Structures are given as C-alpha cells and as structure tokens.
Amino acid sequence: MANLEQLNVSTLTAADVAAIAARLEADEYTTTSEELRDWHLLRAIAFRRPELAEPYFYLLDMEAYDEA
C-alpha cells in the first residue's frame, strides 16, 4: 500500500479497508510504527469516507461523530 501521505482515500474499496482492519485486529506488527500507520490510515478513512470505516470504529475508539 502507498505511503499515507500519498494515499488517495477516495480510491480505497471496502476490501482495502477490511484488510487494514484485519491487520489492526490481529495486532501482529513487528514495529509500533507499522501499527500506527494503519491506525492513522483507518482514522483518515473514517473522516473522509465514513461509510467504509463505520464497521471498524471500535478499532479507533471513537464515537460516530467524534471531532465533527
């Protein structure tokens, strides 16, 4: 997957978001920075495309309208 700064959230599919969520749920990262990258990516998706991230809000520990 592309660098977070280069990623175009509008091109992500539900399958892409599910894969990110699955990695976060498995929590088998080799470094903390890998985990944080996925967490920040899911958070960015939640703000820009909430319909894709809604099933995974529990991974972000945020309410549906947090920081709105």
Side-chain angles (χ1 to χ4, degrees):
M1 192 169 281
N3 183 324
L4 182 58
E5 291 81 25
Q6 298 170 343
L7 185 68
N8 185 350
V9 172
S10 66
T11 64
L12 293 176
T13 66
D16 295 329
V17 178
I20 295 164
R23 288 194 304 267
L24 285 166
E25 286 177 334
D27 195 22
E28 296 175 356
Y29 296 95
T30 56
T31 67
T32 305
S33 62
E34 290 175 351
E35 182 175 12
L36 283 173
R37 183 196 66 226
D38 277 351
W39 187 86
H40 283 290
L41 178 53
L42 186 59
R43 186 171 168 85
I45 295 164
F47 284 105
R48 295 185 190 131
R49 304 221 21 226
E51 72 282 0
L52 289 178
E54 187 174 4
Y56 312 109
F57 278 179
Y58 67 94
L59 292 169
L60 298 172
D61 194 30
M62 60 189 270
E63 296 297 321
Y65 299 104
D66 187 23
E67 298 182 24

